[in-house]
Amino acid sequence: MGTLFVISGPSGVGKGTLVKLLLEEDSSLALSVSCTTRQPRAGEREGKEYFFLSKEEFLRRRDENGFLEWDEHFGNFYGTPKPFVLEMLKERSVILEIDVRGAMQVREALKGSGISPVLIMIAPPNEETLIDRLAGRASESEEELKTRLDRARYELSKSVDYDYLLVNDELDAAKNRLKDIIETEKSKRRL
Ligand code: 5GP
């Protein structure tokens, strides 16, 4: 039985890069695949980037408790499929890369199931770095930047609800600390 890791962090913090490196180095880890009702983009494959569902099918599964968490973004539904994750966990440890709200839903959904997810928040070393990274991302207006920054501050304020806070100061060092957390948690569960 694997361990379930939930990784969150504001956009621009580099969590996608960290997770990608981790998956490349550790084949006992797998990334969950979410369901969505949006149309596939060019190059996206069913079951790889997402499982693409009709709205009716998504809502049916949601009402049958088929998601560990779900949310609506830009008029489309997104969710983490419960049976898929539970099945993967039989063989490997699984990473969910989701926001704070989703992470809290997952923890709630698994209460009493015998699976205790490990919640890891990735944080920038300081606010200046976050602003630089957010600003460097796209040609955004001051207002958009402020919205993203407020969102980032909100997410980071929820670190207290997480098991670990990992500061992404230097990529390689942060990746190694993340690996340590994962190994520690896996071995705790083997005891
Ligand atoms: P996109 O359509 O660009 O792939 O994703 C749009 C948004 O949906 C992103 O903010 C992404 O993080 C979010 N998202 C993707 N999968 C899930 C999921 O399984 N659950 C939740 N709550 N959000 C998701």
Side-chain angles (χ1 to χ4, degrees), residues 21 37 57 67 71 134 136 143 151 163 174 176 180 186:
L21 287 175
T37 60
E57 178 63 12
F67 295 113
D71 206 351
L134 285 178
E143 201 167 320
R151 173 82 205 159
D163 301 300
N176 287 332
D180 284 346
K186 277 187 189 169

Side-chain angles (χ1 to χ4, degrees), residues 145-189:
L145 194 62
K146 191 180 171 308
T147 309
R148 278 167 160 273
L149 192 58
D150 286 346
R151 173 82 205 159
R153 287 190 183 122
Y154 166 76
E155 294 237 318
L156 291 169
S157 77
K158 298 291 173 193
S159 298
V160 285
D161 296 324
Y162 278 63
D163 301 300
Y164 293 92
L165 176 69
L166 183 93
V167 177
N168 188 11
D169 40 11
E170 198 270 310
L171 187 61
D172 218 42
K175 181 201 69 188
N176 287 332
R177 290 201 300 279
L178 188 52
K179 277 171 96 170
D180 284 346
I181 292 173
I182 287 175
E183 281 318 307
T184 304
E185 291 295 331
K186 277 187 189 169
S187 32
K188 270 203 229 170
R189 282 159 179 76

Side-chain angles (χ1 to χ4, degrees), residues 61-119:
R61 292 197 197 179
R62 182 195 67 179
D63 295 342
E64 286 174 357
N65 234 343
F67 295 113
L68 287 174
E69 60 81 42
W70 66 276
D71 206 351
E72 197 177 343
H73 300 281
F74 318 109
N76 292 305
F77 292 109
Y78 293 81
T80 304
K82 190 171 172 180
F84 177 75
V85 171
L86 296 185
E87 196 54 38
M88 273 207 295
L89 273 173
K90 287 183 185 164
E91 304 277 329
R92 306 158 92 182
S93 287
V94 178
I95 295 183
L96 305 181
E97 201 190 311
I98 49 177
D99 66 6
V100 166
R101 187 169 160 221
M104 296 304 124
Q105 282 188 52
V106 170
R107 186 182 259 166
E108 201 53 41
L110 289 172
K111 276 215 172 112
S113 71
I115 299 170
S116 52
V118 180
L119 271 56

